[in-house]
């Protein structure tokens, strides 16, 4: 284990700056990580609803922007509409376990078996691979939730009548009082497209989340190193000597780095996000979706739904890093507890 990765040497009582998989008590880590992830999802889900509707609408035919979307939804549909589809996304909590397991274990393989020494490169590669695995859960739950978000106004968000087969099936099923909306959407998707309908746009999701994860982790560690360098330089000058103080404020720097990484990932991958959600909800081919985006949206594809996505990603990544790092530091094995840096 190299000092650049963990800065841990029990013989010299150095500190554990980066907590690896082997440092954790997994029986404590998994349930606490689930609670942390669920809390953040509850807080930020309304931003996902607004982002999805902004990206699905043709040009600006329904909402003028993020603020208008929030006000319009609350006034015309009630606050509950901002959480429409939320319960269908709860299986994604299990995906967070898959992600963290693949991510942490692949980091170990890349560092110790393959000899990669760059923390940012290792994290980017591990994050990209982990994202691919989680799409098996994310894609079907996203498709169900997205249809629930727009089912009451399909003309504005789904496009032409030929693209609304799932919504048409939903409206004619006669099950409004017998089943929940989520179960009705599941049934409608299956009747229209079969099992493959739950994985429509799977490749577009991979095209989105692999680069998104790679951009996030690469940015995160570069920004974290920059914060560390700046703090160390200032602490040396303040102390008036050449010895760097022990690295403090790591917790704050991790949160800020996570926020910057999330925002950067949102900016870099927004066109791919628009492509993904339109393929899944409009039920059009890749070629047809691209043709429509070029014809009707043009350069707007780079900014469509970007503001709520940046806010969502920035806050989400900040809180997730706070929660994730807090959980990791809380769940270290007893022999490492005195070496954790807060």
């Amino acid at each position: 284990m190299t000092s650049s990765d963990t800065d841990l040497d029990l013989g010299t009582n150095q500190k554990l700056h980066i907590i690896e998989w082997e440092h954790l008590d997994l029986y404590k880590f998994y349930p606490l990580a689930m609670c942390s992830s669920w809390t953040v999802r509850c807080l930020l889900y309304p931003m996902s609803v607004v982002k999805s509707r902004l990206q699905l609408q043709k040009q600006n035919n329904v909402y003028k922007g993020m603020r208008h979307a929030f006000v319009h939804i609350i006034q015309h549909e009630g606050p509950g509409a901002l959480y429409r589809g939320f319960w269908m996304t709860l299986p994604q909590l299990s995906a967070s376990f898959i992600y963290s397991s693949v991510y942490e274990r692949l980091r170990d393989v890349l560092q110790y078996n393959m000899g990669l020494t760059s923390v940012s490169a290792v994290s980017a590669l591990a994050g990209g691979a982990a994202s691919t695995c989680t799409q098996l859960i994310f894609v079907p739950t996203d498709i169900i939730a997205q249809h629930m978000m727009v089912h009451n106004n399909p003309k504005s968000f789904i496009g032409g009548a030929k693209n609304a087969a799932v919504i048409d099936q939903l409206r004619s099923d006669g099950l409004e009082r017998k089943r929940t909306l989520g179960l009705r959407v599941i049934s409608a998707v299956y009747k229209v497209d079969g099992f493959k309908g739950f994985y429509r746009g799977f490749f577009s999701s991979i095209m989105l989340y692999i680069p998104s994860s790679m951009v996030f982790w690469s940015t995160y560690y570069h920004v974290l190193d920059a914060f560390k360098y700046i703090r160390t330089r200032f602490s040396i000058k303040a102390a008036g000597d050449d010895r760097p103080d022990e690295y403090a404020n790591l917790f704050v720097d991790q949160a800020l780095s996570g926020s910057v990484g999330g925002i950067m990932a949102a900016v870099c991958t927004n066109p791919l996000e628009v492509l993904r959600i339109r393929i899944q909800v409009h039920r059009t081919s890749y070629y047809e979706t691209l043709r429509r985006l070029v014809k009707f949206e043009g350069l707007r594809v780079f900014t469509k739904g970007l503001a709520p996505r940046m806010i969502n990603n920035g806050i989400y990544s900040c809180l997730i890093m706070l929660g994730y790092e807090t959980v990791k530091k809380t769940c270290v094995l007893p022999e490492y507890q005195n070496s954790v840096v807060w």
Side-chain angles (χ1 to χ4, degrees), residues 7 9 51 144 152 213 216 221 226 262 264 276 309 325:
D7 291 331
D9 183 347
K51 179 265 299 180
I144 296 166
N152 59 339
S213 184
F216 170 79
Y221 278 108
M264 184 62 68
R276 176 196 68 85
R309 189 162 183 251
E325 292 297 335

Side-chain angles (χ1 to χ4, degrees), residues 255-294:
L256 293 175
S257 300
S259 184
V260 174
I263 293 171
M264 184 62 68
V267 172
C268 292
T269 61
N270 197 64
L272 296 174
E273 166 71 1
V274 178
L275 175 68
R276 176 196 68 85
I277 195 170
R278 292 206 171 190
I279 287 173
Q280 292 178 341
V281 178
H282 289 183
R283 304 178 64 256
T284 47
S285 66
Y286 285 84
Y287 172 78
E288 178 65 15
T289 305
L290 285 170
R291 187 190 68 80
R292 289 186 178 188
L293 286 174
V294 172

Side-chain angles (χ1 to χ4, degrees), residues 107-127:
R107 273 173 54 90
D108 288 345
V109 171
L110 292 172
Q111 289 181 103
Y112 307 131
N113 294 359
M114 301 183 66
L116 293 181
T117 57
S118 171
V119 175
S120 59
V122 167
S123 296
L125 292 172

Side-chain angles (χ1 to χ4, degrees), residues 165-206:
V166 172
I167 299 299
D168 290 342
Q169 174 64 36
L170 184 65
R171 289 187 165 186
S172 62
D173 63 7
L175 299 173
E176 291 89 344
R177 298 182 180 180
K178 297 180 181 179
R179 295 183 184 176
T180 63
L181 178 59
L183 292 177
R184 291 171 59 211
V185 170
I186 293 173
S187 177
V189 171
Y190 183 77
K191 287 183 178 180
V192 172
D193 291 324
F195 182 76
K196 66 180 182 180
F198 295 105
Y199 285 93
R200 180 181 293 276
F202 183 80
F203 181 65
S204 66
S205 291
I206 292 178

Side-chain angles (χ1 to χ4, degrees), residues 26 43 177 205 207-208 315 337:
L26 297 181
L43 178 65
R177 298 182 180 180
S205 291
M207 287 195 304
L208 166 65
I315 297 175
Q337 289 178 354

